């Protein structure tokens, strides 16, 4: 559980991280250190490896046959790929929200309750408290407090995505991974999620994959630009968007390709 | 893109459009024809059975014991026997088939051996039921010394239904969207928890439908029980105890097959009546499956 103590400066650090799908090299030696309690955007053209990188962090890539990884990765000081590493604990610490909202076909309450119930054995009023808190944190409580027993699928797309965020928050993760969390949403819902992302960095470390450069600029403290499986440039968003060092970055952020 | 399409080309295009419309109409005609033939066949079969069988159906026919060497009276022992066979088959098929389906979908992986098992399952699902009957006779009746008995019938019918149940369970599980599975795993649920809490509830209606339909089909099969569990001359004794498991049991498909074979001894009205009852039973089972499906679909979308 997250007790609010200050964290070390770098929550995630990767050194010469390489990832393969079969023979295809998706990450060609990526090195970076991600600051705690900040928002970091991952940008780059499709197939550049940004999602692969994100999915290395909670080992979601494990499900893909032929996937393997090489190099050094630390998340809060521990190697998630170490032999005997606790995968479920990793995923409790490193939550993930997907491109398409994927609420479970159960009630709104159950959607949020399933994590704390199964992980921490909470029930009764304690569980209700955690659910309420998570829904509040995800800025959804006001909209659903009276309809908690309705199906999660009855919500609008944007609400569903916030429900998924609440579901993740209820497990009390430190790191939040978001894989294009707004790309299936309308502009108003997108604005709400963006606001939420900025609010969440007070207590969490966020990594957000996005194709929307303005969004990356708006929400993130740091931005990482990926291309062809390499981390081309990584730095403060103001700097990366304002005066990028590399010419590829310059071309990409000015919309010349990608 | 504002290229000029010259007149000749445009006329050619119009001719092709007309031809495409004609061939669409031709295919529609073929499809309609096929649908009509199918429909007429079904109506013909069901109609014949209903016309010939319905007059024999009354409460006495359904609830009485046969009399006078099966040539009169009702068919209650056969209905009861069929229900007993089905119930027991389901009891065996449910755990084995569902666990097998879960294994195939989530744990077996994709090796060559698993591919072999998968294609064997498909072949087994298409194997004529008499083969299961002979297998049941050889293994359950003779080798296991169960004799011609209700229990041997359960096991044989269960074997007969298992491939379909495993295949439908597997495909129901695979039909659960990957995004939900990922959602569960990303929350830190174990694979088992994800299967139990997220995959199975979403696959439940498909699994239940598979079980009900395949046991329903098993209930209508004569060959497997012909050799393992069936008896024609029912003594009419109906008490239920553990001994019932070791005894052969009268049932509808067997009654039909045997009644027909006696050639003229058994009144036609009884045979057609039995036909209607068997058909009604299978229809009821299928209706049950449809209800299960509809209810769980409504539940998952309820507001």
């Amino acid at each position: 559980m997250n007790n609010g103590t200050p964290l070390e400066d770098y929550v995630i650090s990767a050194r010469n991280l390489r990832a393969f799908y079969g023979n295809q090299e998706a990450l060609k030696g990526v090195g970076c250190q991600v600051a705690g309690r900040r928002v970091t955007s991952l940008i780059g053209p499709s197939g550049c490896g940004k999602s692969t990188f994100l999915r290395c962090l909670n080992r979601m890539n494990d499900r893909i046959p032929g996937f393997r990884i090489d190099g050094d990765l630390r998340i809060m000081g521990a190697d998630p790929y170490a032999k005997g590493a606790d995968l479920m604990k990793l995923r409790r610490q490193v939550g993930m929200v997907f491109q398409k909202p994927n609420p479970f076909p159960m009630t709104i309450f159950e959607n949020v309750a399933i994590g704390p119930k199964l992980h921490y054995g909470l029930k009764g009023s304690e569980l209700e408290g955690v659910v309420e808190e998570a829904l509040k944190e995800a800025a959804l409580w006001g909209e659903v407090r009276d309809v908690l027993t309705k199906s999660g699928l009855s919500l609008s797309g944007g609400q569903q995505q916030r429900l998924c965020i609440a579901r993740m928050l209820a497990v009390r993760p430190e790191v939040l991974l978001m894989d294009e969390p707004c790309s299936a949403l309308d502009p108003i819902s997108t604005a709400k999620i963006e606001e939420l992302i900025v609010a969440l960095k007070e207590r969490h470390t966020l990594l957000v994959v996005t194709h929307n450069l303005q969004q990356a600029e708006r929400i993130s403290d740091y931005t990482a630009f990926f291309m062809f499986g390499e981390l081309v440039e990584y730095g403060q968003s103001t700097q990366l968007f304002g005066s990028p060092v590399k010419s590829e970055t310059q071309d990409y952020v000015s919309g010349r390709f990608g | 893109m504002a290229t000029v399409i010259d007149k000749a080309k445009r006329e050619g295009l119009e001719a092709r459009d007309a031809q495409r419309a004609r061939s669409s109409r031709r295919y529609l005609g073929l499809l309609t024809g096929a649908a009509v033939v199918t429909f007429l066949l079904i109506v013909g079969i069901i109609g014949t059975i209903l016309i010939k069988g319905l007059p024999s159906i009354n409460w006495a026919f359904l609830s009485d014991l046969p009399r006078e060497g099966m040539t009169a009276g009702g068919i209650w022992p056969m209905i009861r026997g069929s229900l007993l066979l089905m119930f027991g088959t389901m009891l065996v098929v449910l755990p084995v088939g569902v666990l097998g389906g879960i294994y195939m979908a989530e744990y077996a992986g994709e090796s060559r051996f698993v591919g072999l098992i998968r294609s064997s399952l498909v072949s087994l699902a298409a194997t004529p039921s008499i083969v299961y009957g002979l297998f049941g006779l050889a293994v359950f009746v003779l080798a296991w010394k169960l004799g011609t008995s209700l229990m041997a019938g359960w096991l044989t019918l269960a074997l007969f239904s298992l491939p379909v149940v495993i295949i439908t369970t597997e495909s129901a599980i695979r039909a659960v969207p990957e995004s939900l599975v990922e959602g569960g795993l990303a929350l830190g649920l174990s694979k088992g928890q994800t299967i139990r809490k997220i995959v199975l509830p979403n696959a439940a209606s498909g699994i239940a439908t598979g079980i009900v339909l395949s046991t329903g089909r098993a209930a209508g099969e004569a060959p497997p029980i012909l050799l393992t569990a069936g008896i024609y001359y029912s003594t009419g004794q109906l008490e239920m105890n553990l001994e019932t498991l070791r005894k052969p049991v009268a049932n509808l498909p067997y009654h039909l097959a045997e009644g027909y074979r006696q050639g003229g001894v058994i009144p036609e009205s009884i045979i057609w009546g039995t036909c209607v009852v068997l058909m009604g039973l299978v229809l009821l089972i299928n209706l049950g499956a449809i209800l299960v499906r509809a209810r769980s679909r409504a539940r998952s979308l309820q507001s």
Side-chain angles (χ1 to χ4, degrees):
Chain A
M1 287 232 180
N2 179 356
N3 52 17
T5 49
L7 286 153
E8 53 185 310
D9 286 351
Y10 296 118
V11 169
I12 295 163
S13 77
R15 251 201 354 254
N16 198 23
L17 189 68
R18 299 167 65 189
F20 304 84
Y21 298 109
N23 290 326
Q24 192 207 338
E25 194 171 0
L27 290 178
K28 301 170 182 166
V30 168
C32 68
Q33 296 188 306
V34 177
R37 308 277 157 105
R38 294 282 181 278
V39 179
T40 302
S41 287
L42 311 180
I43 61 167
S46 298
C48 67
K50 57 193 188 302
S51 283
T52 299
F53 180 72
L54 196 76
R55 285 165 167 259
C56 285
L57 302 178
N58 68 344
R59 289 184 56 180
M60 224 44 199
N61 285 328
D62 285 17
R63 285 174 63 70
I64 300 166
F67 179 83
R68 83 206 142 75
I69 194 167
D70 189 53
D72 193 56
L73 182 64
R74 303 276 144 166
I75 295 176
M76 289 178 277
D79 177 3
Y81 284 91
K83 236 186 168 161
D86 186 342
L87 184 58
M88 289 180 278
K89 184 178 164 210
L90 171 73
R91 287 176 180 161
R92 286 201 300 273
Q93 292 175 333
V94 183
M96 184 171 230
V97 171
F98 298 84
Q99 180 173 359
K100 200 168 156 274
N102 59 349
F104 302 133
M106 38 176 99
T107 68
I108 293 170
F109 181 87
E110 288 167 335
N111 258 288
V112 186
I114 185 168
K117 204 156 78 181
L118 290 178
H119 291 318
Y120 311 123
L122 298 187
K123 42 180 152 290
S125 59
E126 221 178 348
L127 182 63
E128 281 163 28
V130 169
V131 170
E132 180 178 338
E133 196 185 336
L135 283 167
K136 278 178 175 161
E137 221 178 333
L140 189 60
W141 176 250
E143 289 154 72
V144 300
R145 58 186 305 170
D146 297 322
V147 291
L148 288 176
T149 54
K150 274 194 173 186
S151 165
L153 298 171
S154 66
L155 298 174
S156 76
Q159 289 173 324
Q160 286 188 11
Q161 194 62 300
R162 277 179 282 145
L163 179 63
C164 293
I165 293 175
R167 182 175 77 188
M168 166 178 72
L169 293 174
V171 181
R172 297 275 156 249
E174 167 57 36
V175 181
L176 313 181
L177 309 176
M178 302 193 175
D179 195 353
E180 299 184 44
C182 304
S183 65
L185 305 181
D186 65 78
I188 293 172
S189 307
T190 299
K192 281 190 186 150
I193 303 271
E194 285 186 11
E195 231 172 86
L196 182 55
I197 288 173
V198 174
L200 283 172
K201 75 176 177 185
E202 204 162 300
R203 294 171 64 184
H204 303 276
T205 303
L206 291 99
L207 283 92
V208 184
V209 166
T210 177
H211 274 290
N212 183 333
L213 299 179
Q214 286 79 33
Q215 179 174 74
E217 212 175 345
R218 277 194 300 267
I219 63 173
S220 59
D221 305 290
Y222 297 91
T223 297
F225 171 56
F226 285 78
M227 203 166 72
F228 304 130
E230 282 171 35
L231 178 58
V232 176
E233 190 167 346
Y234 174 49
Q236 295 202 337
S237 301
T238 43
Q239 204 239 308
L240 190 133
F241 285 102
S243 50
V245 177
K246 300 273 175 65
S247 63
E248 293 101 320
T249 317
Q250 172 69 44
D251 288 347
Y252 187 73
V253 301
S254 63
R256 228 167 288 168
F257 75 93
Chain B
M1 297 298 284
T3 39
V4 181
I5 300 172
D6 62 55
K7 197 159 174 260
K9 265 193 190 153
R10 206 176 308 150
E11 273 160 10
L13 199 64
E14 273 159 17
R16 277 208 301 285
D17 278 351
Q19 208 211 325
R20 276 204 290 261
R22 271 198 303 282
S23 90
S24 288
R25 276 197 296 278
R26 260 203 309 279
Y27 278 112
L28 186 61
L30 267 176
L31 292 176
T32 315
V36 168
V37 169
T38 315
F39 180 74
L40 286 180
L41 263 175
I42 293 172
V43 169
I45 293 172
I46 296 180
T48 311
I49 292 173
L50 285 183
I51 289 165
K52 299 219 179 193
L54 267 188
S56 350
I57 304 292
N58 52 47
W59 181 243
F61 185 69
L62 297 178
S63 60
D64 275 2
L65 303 180
R67 287 192 314 271
E68 296 164 32
M70 317 300 277
T71 57
I75 57 165
W76 168 240
M78 294 81 203
I79 299 177
R80 186 191 72 131
S82 271
L83 290 173
L84 263 179
L85 275 169
M86 225 174 59
F87 173 73
T89 304
M90 221 180 263
L91 222 61
V92 180
V93 158
L94 188 81
V96 182
V98 171
L99 291 177
I102 293 174
Y103 182 81
M104 290 302 287
E106 295 285 347
Y107 293 97
E110 290 298 336
S111 68
R112 185 172 293 195
F113 180 65
V114 173
L116 190 71
I117 289 185
R118 196 162 283 134
S119 40
S120 307
L121 275 176
V122 176
S123 315
L124 279 175
T127 301
S129 56
I130 184 71
V131 176
Y132 287 92
L134 284 168
F135 181 85
L137 176 65
V139 175
F140 304 134
V141 176
L142 299 176
W144 291 13
K145 299 192 169 57
L146 291 177
T148 305
S149 63
L150 182 57
M151 210 141 72
W154 282 356
L155 293 173
T156 309
L157 283 180
L159 273 191
F160 172 71
S161 324
L162 262 180
V164 174
V165 171
I166 293 176
I167 291 169
T168 49
T169 300
E170 185 185 352
S171 56
I173 287 176
R174 283 184 189 277
V176 173
E178 175 69 13
S179 64
L180 291 183
V181 179
E182 282 197 327
L185 293 175
L187 277 184
L189 307 192
S190 69
K191 188 167 181 177
Q193 285 173 327
T194 307
I195 292 173
R196 275 200 313 280
K197 300 287 177 182
I198 294 162
V199 175
L200 282 186
N202 280 290
S205 69
I207 294 172
T209 312
I211 290 170
V212 174
L213 286 182
S214 77
T215 41
R217 188 173 148 233
E221 285 287 336
I225 33 180
L226 211 61
L227 304 170
T228 56
I231 186 172
Y232 185 58
Y233 284 104
S234 170
T235 56
Q237 61 103 341
L238 291 179
E239 61 264 31
M240 292 274 285
N241 48 44
L242 271 184
E243 270 304 289
T244 317
L245 292 176
R246 303 299 304 264
K247 283 182 182 156
V249 59
N251 57 78
L252 290 167
Y254 194 84
H255 194 63
L256 264 181
E258 202 55 34
Y260 186 73
R261 245 177 31 173
Q262 309 253 328
V265 181
I266 311 296
E268 263 201 25
S269 63
I270 291 189
I271 297 176
W272 285 111
T274 307
C275 243
V276 172
V277 172
L278 179 56
M279 223 172 60
L281 189 70
V282 173
L283 183 73
L284 268 180
I285 294 163
N286 290 9
L287 269 181
I290 292 169
L291 276 180
V292 168
R293 252 187 130 92
R295 263 190 61 172
S296 65
R297 189 170 303 154
R299 204 175 36 224
S300 73
L301 289 178
Q302 85 193 160
S303 48

